[in-house]
Every structure is written in C-alpha cells, then in structure tokens.
Amino acid sequence: MIPAERSQDLKVGTVLYGLEPRGLGGPARESLRGYLVRLAAEHALRPRDLVARVLVQLEPSISPWAYASFFARHALTIDGIGVYAETFARALGGGTGRRDLASLSMLPWASLLPPNGKSLLARRPRWCPECLRAGWATPDGAHWQLRWSLAAVSHCSDHGIPLHDRCGHCGRLQPALPRHPTIGYCDHCLSPLFDLTSTNSQEQVRPTPGGLETEQLIDELVAIQDGLARDPKESWLSFIDEAVASLGKGQRAALCRRMGFQPRAFNAWLQRQDRVSIGAIVRVCSALGCGARRVFGEEPRHLSSLVPQQRAGARRVRHDENVRSLSARLLHQAVSQNAPPSLRDVASAAGVSRGYLRYWFDDQVAALTGARRRRVEHLRQARTAQRLELLRVLVTDVVASEQFPGRKLIESAARRHGFSLLDEGMLEIYRRIVADLLQAGRSLEEDTSNETR
Ligand SMILES: [Zn+2]
Ligand SMILES: [Zn+2]
C-alpha cells in the first residue's frame, strides 16, 4: 500500500517512489548510497533487500554483487565514477523515474578524474556527527552526504570538526550499505552516530594543510556538479590553457613548483590529456585563487597572477579578539564534556593551531589533556573488563559443548566479537581462564570420584 501523502511521488509506470534527493545544488548533496538507504526506508525494506530483490530485477547485472562483502565494503563505490556508480544510478533511475540520480555520485566528473578512482573515495563510511544531529532535529530526518565519501575531505566545513568513522557507543566501523534503513544510527548497536565521543580514531584524522581550504573547494565542486554547462574535462583544459597564457613563464614554473608538480605538469594535461586527480584540482585552484565555479561554471576567470604565497609555518593568521574568545569558549566547553574532544579538534573548530591554544590557554590545555587521558584510561579499563567477561563466556560455552577451548577455536570466536587474543593482555587472561576452568573441572572430577568411592 502506498501512503496517501506519498502517492504523488509515485510516477505512473515506476516500480519505486520518485523520492526527492536532498541537498541538490549545495555542498551537502545527498550521496547515492544514502539515497538508496532512504528509498529502502520509504518502502519499508532493508537496504540490502532493496538491492537483492528489487534492483536486480531492474538491472540484472547487479545480481553478482548482491553478497555480503559487497554490501559491507565494495558498495562504497556506488558513490564513485566507475561501473558500480553507473549501474546503481541507472537501476535507481529506472526504478524511480528520476533522471538526476547520477549527480548523487561523482559520475558528473567521470571524464576528468582518473578512471580507477581508487584514491577518490574514502575506504570506509565517514560522517559529520553535527550534520547528522542537525538533520535529525528536523522532521525529515538526516541524509548521508556525498562529500563524506571523498578521501580528500577530512573535516566538515560547516562544523569545522573531523569526520568520524566509528560509532561513539560500540566503537565499530560502519558497513558501506547498512542492514538497517536508518540514516545516522549505528548498524551494529543502533545507537546514534551523532553522539560525540573520544573513541573516534584520531589517527584517521588527516590534518588539512591550509585550514579547510581543501574542503571548501570540494564543497564547491560537489555543489555545482549537476549543473555543469560543459564537459568538465573541456573546462579544465581551457582553464589550464588560460593559466598558461596569462601567467608569464617564470610564474608558471613557480606555480608548478609550489604545487609540488614538475614544471611541465600543465603540458601533460594539455598535450597528453592526462586525467586529473581531485587533489591536483584542489592544488591548482587554490594556487590560482580560483574556485570551482570559475573553473567549471559560467563565472569569468580573470586569471592575472598567482595568489600570494602562503608557506606553511610562515603563514600569518591574524588572531583578533573574536578568535581568542572563540578559542576560550571552545576550550572551556571541551574540558567540561563527558567525552572531551582532542586539542586538534578544538584548534580546528576555532580555526587556530594547537600551538596558539597552548600559548594563550596553557592551563585549560593542560586540563583538557588530563581529562582526555583519564577518559581514555577509563574506556580502556571498561573495554578490558567487557572483553574479559566475554572471553570467559566464550571459553565456558566451548567447554560446555565438550570441546577443548584451544587457542585457534577461541581466537576465531573472539574475532567474531571484534577482538583478538593477540590484543594487549588478552592471551594471559585467556590462559588464566582456561587454567581456572581445567582446575575446576579437575576438582569436580575428584569430587565425583570421591563420591563414587
Ligand atoms: Zn557537519
Ligand atoms: Zn555502535
């Protein structure tokens, strides 16, 4: 049955609702993967069932992909520029009758970006918890954003915080295509992915050179990608042509050097028509001070000279009073949080360096570091206790099923629960549990043999 308020979305002759994609024309554009999940929810289906039962009917070439590790990992490519993106855009477009779904992936840039866009997409789903929270504060709920799928994006430009990749409650990574059709909730423990905690792996956070410049440029790329007047490769080549013509030879070489390219890099694009990585696009655009709208859109370019050089370290940021009071406020909030964010996160949210915070707010920084250390220690102890308990249950279960709780058997059971006997301290605990059990078994045997005597 189609609910009355949805019936207008169902175009005559389509199998699926013509659900409106979110965030078209803006940087928070919905991703094709996220759209698939919302569409599944509209049909009261699990996303994987929508693929395995409905989309395979529309696009039989999908059927070999309807298996677990595709859903868990490879389905990330649905947001990319390759055959998976093409096929899913076609199947979903056919099913919903919508023609704009390719623009929820990176397909509009397919002629420009390298074909096996390995470095294009992040290797795991990531999200901005604040964007998800803001989405869930509206009646429509949250949507999954395309920019989160791009490897070059490490921070949310709206909130200035690093993207997260682990559930703040159970600490697990999320599958590419979830089992549950709810955007913004952990697919393992069903808790909100917008709860901020410190369990998010800081090592995943790549410091962004030049602040959020990369993110802002990519925001613009993503925003304009459904209204490209020209083939992006043509636009790029004419842009490079213009840059070569307008910059003097000395400037051109300086530009290439500054971007870390060899001096004749521009010629490779112009003469060999090499594909261009998204990182190279960002570097050229920022060196020429030219946003995506000027490169790929209709805005005039007016390339005259290089943007003044900003060498890392030599970069002068004017810290006026606003910056200082913002920093103080963010630090204060950070220290009082149950799960305090890292100094790097606070610095990035305030738009300053960690050194700046240490210089001006020495005491608060020390308080934050202390609070984080205590929190990490607390989490570590809690996790060890939890695993110890789980390990005891695993070993007892194996013994109860009259098997010997050998290391191999227990290791594979532990891995199913997301840990390993090789984790710090676990092996010793395992040996102790087994020894205790064997000891208990032996005394039980002795008791019984005493009784029978
Ligand atoms: Zn955000
Ligand atoms: Zn979870």
Side-chain angles (χ1 to χ4, degrees):
M1 266 307 282
I2 303 154
E5 70 271 20
R6 290 287 169 205
S7 58
Q8 74 271 17
D9 292 343
L10 189 64
K11 299 210 173 72
V12 177
T14 63
V15 186
L16 299 162
Y17 305 133
L19 185 68
E20 183 87 25
R22 301 251 183 91
L24 291 181
R29 173 187 302 277
E30 183 165 36
S31 89
L32 192 55
R33 240 171 354 107
Y35 180 80
L36 194 159
V37 176
R38 281 203 308 121
L39 189 64
E42 288 295 322
H43 290 269
L45 276 173
R46 289 165 181 272
R48 296 176 181 190
D49 287 341
L50 176 64
V51 176
R53 294 213 232 132
V54 184
L55 297 187
V56 292
Q57 308 279 336
L58 297 163
E59 191 66 47
S61 58
I62 286 180
S63 66
W65 304 335
Y67 60 93
S69 65
F70 177 78
F71 293 138
R73 285 192 304 278
H74 309 311
L76 289 169
T77 53
I78 293 176
D79 290 343
I81 58 173
V83 63
Y84 295 101
E86 258 170 36
T87 311
F88 275 87
R90 199 163 55 234
L92 287 165
T96 58
R98 297 202 67 99
R99 291 160 181 269
D100 49 6
L101 298 184
S103 84
L104 303 183
S105 68
M106 293 303 282
L107 281 170
W109 306 101
S111 69
L112 181 65
L113 299 171
N116 53 354
K118 251 189 194 160
S119 52
L120 176 66
L121 298 175
R123 295 155 67 100
R124 48 182 61 162
R126 299 171 310 155
W127 60 91
C128 167
E130 292 301 338
C131 284
L132 287 178
R133 187 201 309 279
W136 277 112
T138 70
D140 293 335
H143 71 273
W144 204 264
Q145 299 178 15
L146 177 61
R147 54 184 170 177
W148 300 339
S149 297
L150 301 176
V153 173
S154 68
H155 285 66
C156 170
S157 55
D158 294 342
H159 297 101
I161 56 172
L163 298 183
H164 285 211
D165 63 358
R166 287 181 186 275
C167 165
H169 296 268
C170 68
R172 295 181 67 180
L173 301 170
Q174 301 301 305
L177 208 60
R179 281 167 291 244
H180 304 285
T182 326
I183 297 277
Y185 283 78
C186 174
D187 208 40
H188 308 289
C189 72
L190 308 180
S191 307
L193 292 175
F194 41 86
D195 286 346
L196 291 171
T197 70
S198 61
T199 55
N200 265 275
S201 41
Q202 293 302 320
E203 65 276 10
Q204 303 299 340
V205 178
R206 194 174 45 79
T208 320
L212 293 179
E213 230 173 18
T214 303
E215 275 75 4
Q216 278 152 3
L217 274 160
I218 291 180
D219 277 359
E220 231 181 86
L221 285 175
V222 168
I224 62 169
Q225 68 180 36
D226 48 8
L228 297 174
R230 279 206 290 173
D231 173 42
K233 184 164 193 187
E234 268 176 42
S235 301
W236 179 256
L237 289 179
S238 86
F239 167 62
I240 295 297
D241 241 348
E242 237 174 88
V244 167
S246 59
L247 300 174
K249 209 170 176 191
Q251 280 210 61
R252 221 184 304 156
L255 178 69
C256 286
R257 263 201 310 280
R258 187 199 300 178
M259 295 180 302
F261 300 137
Q262 40 108 344
R264 297 172 60 80
F266 282 3
N267 296 354
W269 289 325
L270 292 173
Q271 286 159 15
R272 294 211 311 262
Q273 310 246 318
D274 284 0
R275 300 291 183 113
V276 190
S277 74
I278 213 162
I281 296 174
V282 167
R283 269 141 75 192
V284 174
C285 287
S286 75
L288 285 166
C290 217
R293 281 199 173 77
R294 278 164 70 198
V295 180
F296 299 103
E298 297 295 297
E299 284 180 19
R301 288 175 185 149
H302 302 306
L303 297 176
S304 52
S305 63
L306 299 178
V307 172
Q309 178 125 25
Q310 296 176 329
R311 219 181 277 119
R315 198 168 178 202
R316 293 259 148 82
V317 186
R318 237 190 70 236
H319 296 300
D320 55 26
E321 281 309 308
N322 289 341
V323 172
R324 201 171 322 161
S325 66
L326 174 68
S327 304
R329 203 170 63 240
L330 290 174
L331 260 179
H332 180 76
Q333 280 172 5
V335 174
S336 52
Q337 267 180 48
N338 183 26
S342 70
L343 187 62
R344 180 188 280 162
D345 294 354
V346 177
S348 139
V352 299
S353 69
R354 281 176 285 177
Y356 174 87
L357 292 181
R358 283 197 200 96
Y359 178 80
W360 289 104
F361 307 102
D362 193 22
D363 291 349
Q364 289 92 322
V365 169
L368 177 62
T369 319
R372 273 179 66 79
R373 204 176 297 127
R374 285 192 296 280
R375 167 87 183 165
V376 166
E377 179 55 22
H378 171 77
L379 287 177
R380 199 186 60 79
Q381 284 176 4
R383 202 179 53 216
T384 310
Q386 197 185 10
R387 287 181 175 175
L388 193 143
E389 197 41 51
L390 193 55
L391 192 57
R392 200 184 297 283
V393 171
L394 293 178
V395 174
T396 316
D397 282 356
V398 168
V399 173
S401 66
E402 304 199 322
Q403 284 173 285
F404 182 75
R407 215 175 119 175
K408 208 166 158 195
L409 198 60
I410 299 299
E411 173 68 19
S412 70
R415 286 196 180 238
R416 281 197 296 278
H417 288 84
F419 70 100
S420 162
L421 292 179
L422 299 175
D423 294 346
E424 197 194 335
M426 292 311 285
L427 203 54
E428 198 187 321
I429 296 172
Y430 157 74
R431 289 197 180 118
R432 214 157 58 216
I433 293 174
V434 172
D436 287 353
L437 271 174
L438 292 179
Q439 182 67 40
R442 215 169 288 139
S443 50
L444 190 67
E445 261 171 41
E446 279 166 17
D447 287 352
T448 21
S449 61
N450 284 344
E451 274 166 30
T452 41
R453 239 179 248 154

